[in-house]
């Protein structure tokens, strides 16, 4: 299992940075929670530059589900923090994500796929007992068909999930970011075609699709 890594939006990425003292304590603790998260095998996670204008403070990770040399799915998770609060968030923290994967043709034809993919996110959060609010997002599918010199390629469909939610704050105004990261990684693995692991709860509304296979396997 790999521990999550990342960096502050102001460039501070270590305890010895002079800039770290200017970062609010709740945000520092929230980032520490991400760094402590232990993830299931098959996930590679690395720091990436966070956006600079979405919130006063931001921290970003990018991850991929790998099988040998193949990336089965990839995504980005951003932790935002506004100490003054944000009217649309109904809180001081916000998690924003983008997840993508290529689908098998039979999966792409399933009319329930968008609802199922959304249930993977909400179900992973609820299975861990995580309180959250103001969840919103989109599930988009894009198909590619090849012609001429590329006609030997099989049609391909990529699915993309864009979502954001407000993690409920706990002691000291800090959300359980470690658990939220684990839930997000579960979404990443499920869209990659891997079976779910860890906390399960039949009441979470998670839907399974039949004959789910990894995107890059015939």
């Amino acid at each position: 299992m790999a521990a999550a890594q990342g960096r502050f939006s102001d460039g501070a990425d270590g305890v010895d940075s002079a800039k770290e003292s200017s970062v609010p304590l709740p945000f520092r603790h929230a980032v520490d929670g991400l760094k402590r998260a232990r993830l299931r095998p098959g996930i590679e996670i690395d720091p990436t530059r966070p956006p600079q204008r979405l919130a006063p403070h931001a921290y970003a990770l990018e991850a991929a589900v790998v099988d040998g040399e193949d990336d089965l799915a990839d995504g980005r998770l951003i932790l935002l923090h506004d100490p003054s609060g944000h009217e649309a968030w109904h809180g001081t923290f916000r998690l924003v994500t983008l997840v993508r994967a290529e689908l098998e043709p039979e999966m792409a034809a399933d009319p329930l796929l968008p609802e199922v993919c959304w249930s993977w996110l909400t179900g992973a959060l609820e299975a861990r007992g995580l309180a959250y609010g103001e969840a919103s997002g989109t599930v988009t599918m894009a198909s590619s068909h090849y012609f001429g010199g590329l006609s030997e390629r099989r049609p391909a469909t990529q699915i993309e999930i864009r979502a954001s939610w407000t993690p409920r704050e706990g002691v000291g105004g800090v959300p359980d970011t470690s658990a939220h990261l684990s839930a997000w990684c579960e979404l990443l693995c499920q869209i990659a075609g891997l079976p779910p692991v860890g906390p399960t709860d039949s009441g979470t509304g998670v839907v399974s699709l039949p004959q789910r296979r990894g995107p890059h396997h015939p």
Side-chain angles (χ1 to χ4, degrees), residues 94-97 118 121 133-137 162-166:
R94 187 76 171 172
L95 285 162
V96 181
T97 186
W118 186 255
L121 172 60
E134 309 305 319
S136 61
R162 293 179 180 268
S164 62
W165 66 96
T166 298

Side-chain angles (χ1 to χ4, degrees), residues 2-203:
Q5 299 295 328
R7 58 186 171 191
F8 294 111
S9 59
D10 63 3
D13 57 359
V15 295
D16 58 344
S17 172
K19 291 185 177 180
E20 188 178 2
S21 61
S22 66
V23 178
L25 190 59
F27 181 65
R28 291 168 58 187
H29 287 327
V31 171
D32 286 343
L34 293 175
K35 292 180 178 180
R36 290 195 303 267
R38 306 301 296 179
L39 310 179
R40 62 185 282 182
I43 297 178
E44 294 184 354
I45 193 162
D46 293 294
T48 188
R49 180 173 297 279
Q52 303 295 310
R53 299 180 180 179
L54 296 181
H57 306 280
Y59 180 93
L61 296 167
E62 58 183 7
V65 179
V66 297
D67 179 15
E69 297 182 355
D70 292 329
D71 285 357
L72 303 183
D74 63 81
R76 192 182 194 206
L77 183 68
I78 304 168
L79 175 67
L80 303 176
H81 178 56
D82 187 339
S84 300
H86 194 291
E87 182 178 356
W89 302 353
H90 290 183
T92 63
F93 284 91
R94 187 76 171 172
L95 285 162
V96 181
T97 186
L98 165 65
V99 174
R100 298 171 297 193
E102 187 176 326
L103 299 175
E104 292 291 337
E106 63 269 25
M107 286 295 300
D110 194 312
L112 297 178
L113 185 63
E115 289 81 359
V116 170
C117 289
W118 186 255
S119 82
W120 287 340
L121 172 60
T122 58
L125 294 170
E126 293 163 10
R128 289 163 175 76
L130 294 170
Y132 64 95
E134 309 305 319
S136 61
T138 61
V139 178
T140 304
M141 290 188 293
S143 297
S144 298
H145 297 265
Y146 301 96
F147 301 93
L150 300 177
S151 60
E152 293 184 357
R153 293 189 183 182
R154 296 175 58 190
T157 300
Q158 186 180 73
I159 190 163
E160 179 181 278
I161 302 173
R162 293 179 180 268
S164 62
W165 66 96
T166 298
R168 292 303 181 221
E169 299 162 13
V171 177
V174 182
D176 187 352
T177 50
S178 179
H180 279 272
L181 177 58
S182 295
W184 178 75
C185 286
E186 187 60 38
L187 164 68
L188 196 64
C189 288
Q190 286 194 278
I191 199 174
L194 304 183
V197 298
T200 58
D201 184 345
S202 60

